[in-house]
Amino acid sequence: MTVTIYDVAREAGVSMATVSRVVNNNPNVKPQTRKKVFEAIERLGYRPNAVARGLASKKTTTVGVVIPDISNSIFSEVARGIEDIANMYHYNIILCNADKKKEKEIRVINTLLEKQVDGLLFMGGTVTDDHLQAFKTASVPIVLCGTTDDKDTIPSVDIDHESAAYDAVKLLIGQGHTKIGMISGTLQDPANGYARYQGYKKALEQAGIPVTEERVRVGNYRYESGYEVMKYFLELSDRPTAIFAATDEMAIGAIHAAQDQGLKVPDDLSVISVDNIRMASMVRPQLTTVAQPMYDIGAVSMRLLTKLMNKENVEMSKVTLPHEIIQRKSVAHA
Amino acid sequence: MTVTIYDVAREAGVSMATVSRVVNNNPNVKPQTRKKVFEAIERLGYRPNAVARGLASKKTTTVGVVIPDISNSIFSEVARGIEDIANMYHYNIILCNADKKKEKEIRVINTLLEKQVDGLLFMGGTVTDDHLQAFKTASVPIVLCGTTDDKDTIPSVDIDHESAAYDAVKLLIGQGHTKIGMISGTLQDPANGYARYQGYKKALEQAGIPVTEERVRVGNYRYESGYEVMKYFLELSDRPTAIFAATDEMAIGAIHAAQDQGLKVPDDLSVISVDNIRMASMVRPQLTTVAQPMYDIGAVSMRLLTKLMNKENVEMSKVTLPHEIIQRKSVAHA
DNA sequence: CTGTTAGCGCATTCAT
DNA sequence: ATGAATGCGCTAACAG
């Protein structure tokens, strides 16, 4: 039925070892023999069985990546970076969606490990002790992608979320705003949530502006929640003149909520956020935001993983990529 | 180093066959023995090796999916549907990006087959003879997802693109528009390109409206090209009062081009398209569009694939999912 | 219900 | 430069 290395060997009149050699590009094969083998392969339509090869060599040339939400444009941008580099180093990707559920994250980590991936890329939210526990049982390298663990025990690549948020709010303050509302992510999320809130807080405190409870509201990162939270802000007696949103999506939601109430952005309300998803430049007014190098986060983390898998020793196992303010049209003077 | 089924067998005082049975949930094991084995597994931290299992059983419980562009929101929506159902049937996904390059598509199909996937989902643009050729060498089922081959020889799930386009243009005509421009995709692309153009043409012809060359322009599906093409339309002496765009992204680009020239949408210009990506309801005015059930396309095709892999016989191997007009705010009377 | 025995298709020593 | 032999970790008859 299926044609194996044995069949090829017989067809070419050589041993299976020789066939294995030519398939694996081993130089110790006479060119003529190599030719014979290739012809036999062609004739028989032989296709190497990567599973058998994986069992024998203990390498699968595939890496697992766990992704919190494949339909979120941030992650799919990052995934592109991962894919490109993986492809460059001839790795394939087993992509597992984890629905942002911790339990499912742990589960897929384990099935990925069962599949004998050569390495693991983890793009999750929080890295808990349970995660660390699961990682510890792995005999292959792991790198965190767009997140970090508190203790910095696992290699990772990410931006400095607090600093990014700080820069965003700082820009608002520089424009004379003092009544600055924040649409935050959940504070349980260390990266996009808590860290970005910390950056907001730090910028205000440093400018001597009090951080008040009524000016901070938690959303769920999505457009709709940005819209809802903005409606709340609009009803405040002393409403903010500027908004810092933890994500672009929420910022866009906020802009539309304001516009739907007849406000002009940025004239009546300034809005800034963090991410720079593609949509940020596809809305009117175009969104001013702090760009996160999503493609690079994916690419760099995959590159780091290839080094680790290759047992090269890496100097920096925790890399922080730079962010950058993209000034567009959603921020104006107070 | 690695603990195998053998070690567990020894530790539990049973044979490896028994261990295999409990791991595979074979009912023919005395509860007590089962318990002993589980304890041994726990104690040793045994983790089954899916590669070895794959070699022995000739099943890998993974399916390959080739995707033209992972960063395109349409495909990532579809991927979500695929993932959900795959997960439900305990399959993992090897996701391969093909950069919309035919050559690379063929290449990844082959490596996926080498990896012994149990089935293949192909989300590509055109299905050429070379594709068919590659598919033919596969001994596992394949289904096309969001595309079709001309000869209907491969199982597929998709919408009727021509009909969707027809309905969109029909709506414009129903609103009294006669000067209707089209921002098309490349006519080489049978689904999103040619078929949608055919629908446009058919609707116009049926209404007795001539199809003119200057009212049809080709874009590349993206926002920017919609923007550019719209600028062209705006400069026409007898400019269209309505636009049918082959994709939402191009439609949004068109809307912004019009707005940037001071036109009001939909008062001065109506715009409709096909897709219904998330962004369609996140722009102002919200986009009227023909919804393509992206999640379902993914889910149904994966479900179909599971049936095929399971050798159930399926009645309809070519399924056409319904589309639906979503009336929002970008279309008005002529 | 449990154990024995063969492979699955290939990489990899070790000889030659 | 090539071949013979061994085993990777597991499933799947088959036997008992």
Side-chain angles (χ1 to χ4, degrees):
Chain A
M1 187 69 248
T2 60
V3 20
T4 77
I5 206 172
Y6 260 110
D7 305 316
V8 177
R10 193 173 343 100
E11 175 81 10
V14 299
S15 76
M16 58 175 294
T18 300
V19 177
S20 177
R21 288 194 186 92
V22 343
V23 169
N24 291 293
N25 258 310
N26 183 317
N28 290 349
V29 179
K30 215 194 313 182
Q32 205 187 88
T33 329
R34 181 182 306 277
K35 183 154 172 291
K36 275 195 312 188
V37 172
F38 273 130
E39 286 170 356
I41 286 178
E42 183 73 16
R43 227 173 302 137
L44 266 40
Y46 167 71
R47 174 161 24 220
N49 181 326
V51 172
R53 177 182 295 181
L55 183 59
S57 69
K58 294 169 162 297
K59 286 202 185 61
T60 55
T61 64
T62 87
V63 315
V65 357
V66 2
I67 185 173
D69 177 6
I70 197 178
S71 67
N72 186 136
S73 43
I74 292 211
F75 298 121
S76 57
E77 263 304 304
V78 176
R80 242 190 74 231
I82 294 174
E83 239 288 339
D84 275 5
I85 305 301
N87 190 53
M88 190 173 301
Y89 288 87
H90 299 103
Y91 284 100
N92 290 110
I93 294 296
I94 300 190
L95 207 272
C96 288
N97 209 53
D99 291 336
K100 294 183 270 187
K101 314 289 293 271
K102 170 182 156 182
E103 175 221 289
K104 197 172 170 200
E105 287 176 357
I106 308 266
R107 189 147 39 91
V108 303
I109 289 171
N110 280 312
T111 82
L112 251 12
L113 259 18
E114 285 185 6
K115 298 244 180 192
Q116 311 301 118
V117 293
D118 294 338
L120 205 53
L121 237 35
F122 183 79
M123 273 197 265
T126 316
V127 176
T128 69
D129 284 342
D130 288 342
H131 288 86
L132 260 20
Q133 190 55 41
F135 291 157
K136 204 174 312 175
T137 70
S139 55
V140 296
I142 295 176
V143 356
L144 307 178
C145 178
T147 187
T148 330
D149 63 320
D150 306 331
K151 296 131 189 164
D152 290 343
T153 143
I154 314 270
S156 65
V157 4
D158 199 1
I159 63 167
D160 182 336
H161 292 277
E162 175 174 333
S163 164
Y166 174 85
D167 290 350
V169 176
K170 196 80 184 170
L171 182 146
L172 256 20
I173 293 171
Q175 296 290 307
H177 292 280
T178 56
K179 297 189 284 186
I180 302 175
M182 170 162 187
I183 308 178
S184 172
T186 164
L187 268 18
Q188 271 62 259
D189 175 353
N192 303 283
Y194 188 70
R196 291 183 184 184
Y197 168 68
Q198 283 299 314
Y200 163 81
K201 200 169 137 197
K202 185 169 153 198
L204 289 198
E205 281 170 352
Q206 195 168 301
I209 304 172
V211 176
T212 73
E213 158 105 27
E214 75 167 13
R215 292 246 168 86
V216 178
R217 278 295 172 276
V218 171
N220 70 354
Y221 305 123
R222 308 293 272 198
Y223 175 85
E224 293 75 14
S225 83
Y227 192 98
E228 290 309 318
V229 171
M230 191 65 225
K231 285 206 302 199
Y232 155 82
F233 280 136
L234 258 20
E235 281 165 5
L236 254 31
S237 56
D238 189 27
R239 70 167 181 77
T241 61
I243 295 292
F244 166 58
T247 67
D248 285 353
E249 269 207 31
M250 293 197 293
I252 294 169
I255 288 176
H256 287 155
Q259 289 174 335
D260 286 355
Q261 304 279 323
L263 295 188
K264 291 243 185 266
V265 177
D267 304 340
D268 303 326
L269 178 78
S270 288
V271 176
I272 194 171
S273 54
V274 182
D275 278 349
N276 196 34
I277 58 179
R278 240 165 64 76
M279 208 189 319
S281 56
M282 291 167 59
V283 292
R284 296 305 146 100
Q286 296 182 44
L287 190 63
T288 294
T289 187
V290 179
Q292 177 173 194
M294 293 169 282
Y295 179 90
D296 292 350
I297 290 177
V300 170
S301 58
M302 184 65 210
R303 180 64 186 106
L304 177 56
L305 187 60
T306 63
K307 286 181 182 165
L308 261 17
M309 291 187 296
N310 211 25
K311 298 192 187 335
E312 305 175 26
N313 62 341
V314 297
E315 49 312 335
M316 295 257 297
S317 79
K318 175 186 171 69
V319 5
T320 301
L321 261 24
H323 54 266
E324 175 194 6
I325 292 193
I326 308 287
Q327 303 229 29
R328 283 194 278 248
K329 308 290 180 75
S330 64
V331 171
H333 272 88
Chain B
M1 187 69 248
T2 61
V3 21
T4 78
I5 206 172
Y6 259 110
D7 305 316
V8 177
R10 192 171 347 99
E11 174 83 10
V14 299
S15 77
M16 58 177 295
T18 301
V19 177
S20 177
R21 287 195 186 92
V22 343
V23 169
N24 291 295
N25 259 310
N26 184 316
N28 291 348
V29 180
K30 212 193 316 181
Q32 204 187 86
T33 335
R34 182 183 304 277
K35 183 155 170 291
K36 276 195 311 186
V37 172
F38 272 133
E39 287 169 355
I41 286 178
E42 184 74 16
R43 225 173 306 135
L44 268 39
Y46 168 71
R47 171 157 32 215
N49 181 327
V51 172
R53 177 182 296 179
L55 183 58
S57 69
K58 292 169 162 298
K59 286 200 185 63
T60 55
T61 64
T62 90
V63 316
V65 358
V66 1
I67 185 173
D69 177 6
I70 196 179
S71 66
N72 187 137
S73 43
I74 293 210
F75 298 121
S76 57
E77 262 305 304
V78 175
R80 242 189 74 230
I82 294 175
E83 240 288 340
D84 275 5
I85 305 300
N87 191 52
M88 188 174 303
Y89 287 88
H90 299 103
Y91 283 100
N92 289 110
I93 295 295
I94 300 191
L95 206 273
C96 289
N97 208 55
D99 291 336
K100 294 182 271 190
K101 313 290 292 272
K102 170 181 156 183
E103 175 220 289
K104 196 173 170 196
E105 287 177 355
I106 308 265
R107 189 146 39 92
V108 302
I109 289 171
N110 280 312
T111 82
L112 251 13
L113 260 18
E114 286 185 6
K115 299 244 180 193
Q116 311 300 119
V117 293
D118 294 338
L120 206 52
L121 236 37
F122 183 79
M123 277 196 261
T126 316
V127 177
T128 68
D129 284 343
D130 288 341
H131 287 86
L132 260 23
Q133 190 56 39
F135 291 156
K136 205 174 311 174
T137 68
S139 55
V140 296
I142 296 176
V143 357
L144 306 178
C145 177
T147 187
T148 330
D149 64 320
D150 305 331
K151 297 131 189 164
D152 290 343
T153 144
I154 314 270
S156 65
V157 4
D158 200 1
I159 63 166
D160 182 336
H161 293 276
E162 176 173 334
S163 164
Y166 174 86
D167 290 349
V169 176
K170 197 80 182 168
L171 183 145
L172 256 18
I173 294 171
Q175 295 292 307
H177 291 281
T178 55
K179 296 189 286 187
I180 302 175
M182 169 162 189
I183 307 179
S184 170
T186 164
L187 269 19
Q188 271 63 259
D189 175 353
N192 304 282
Y194 188 71
R196 292 184 183 183
Y197 169 68
Q198 284 299 314
Y200 163 81
K201 201 169 137 195
K202 186 168 153 199
L204 290 197
E205 281 169 352
Q206 196 168 298
I209 304 172
V211 176
T212 72
E213 157 106 30
E214 75 167 14
R215 292 247 168 85
V216 177
R217 277 295 173 276
V218 171
N220 69 355
Y221 305 122
R222 307 296 269 198
Y223 175 84
E224 293 75 14
S225 83
Y227 193 97
E228 290 308 318
V229 171
M230 190 66 225
K231 286 205 301 198
Y232 155 83
F233 280 135
L234 257 20
E235 281 166 6
L236 253 33
S237 56
D238 188 27
R239 70 166 181 77
T241 62
I243 296 293
F244 166 58
T247 67
D248 285 352
E249 269 207 32
M250 291 197 293
I252 293 170
I255 288 176
H256 286 156
Q259 288 174 337
D260 286 354
Q261 304 278 324
L263 296 186
K264 290 241 184 268
V265 178
D267 304 339
D268 304 326
L269 178 78
S270 288
V271 176
I272 194 171
S273 54
V274 182
D275 278 349
N276 196 34
I277 58 180
R278 241 164 65 74
M279 209 188 320
S281 57
M282 292 167 61
V283 292
R284 296 305 146 98
Q286 294 182 47
L287 191 63
T288 293
T289 187
V290 179
Q292 177 174 195
M294 292 169 282
Y295 180 91
D296 293 350
I297 289 177
V300 170
S301 57
M302 184 66 211
R303 180 65 185 107
L304 176 55
L305 186 60
T306 63
K307 286 181 183 164
L308 260 17
M309 290 188 297
N310 211 26
K311 298 194 186 333
E312 305 175 27
N313 61 342
V314 298
E315 50 311 338
M316 294 258 296
S317 78
K318 176 186 170 71
V319 5
T320 301
L321 260 23
H323 54 268
E324 173 194 6
I325 292 194
I326 310 287
Q327 303 229 30
R328 284 195 279 247
K329 309 290 180 72
S330 64
V331 171
H333 272 88

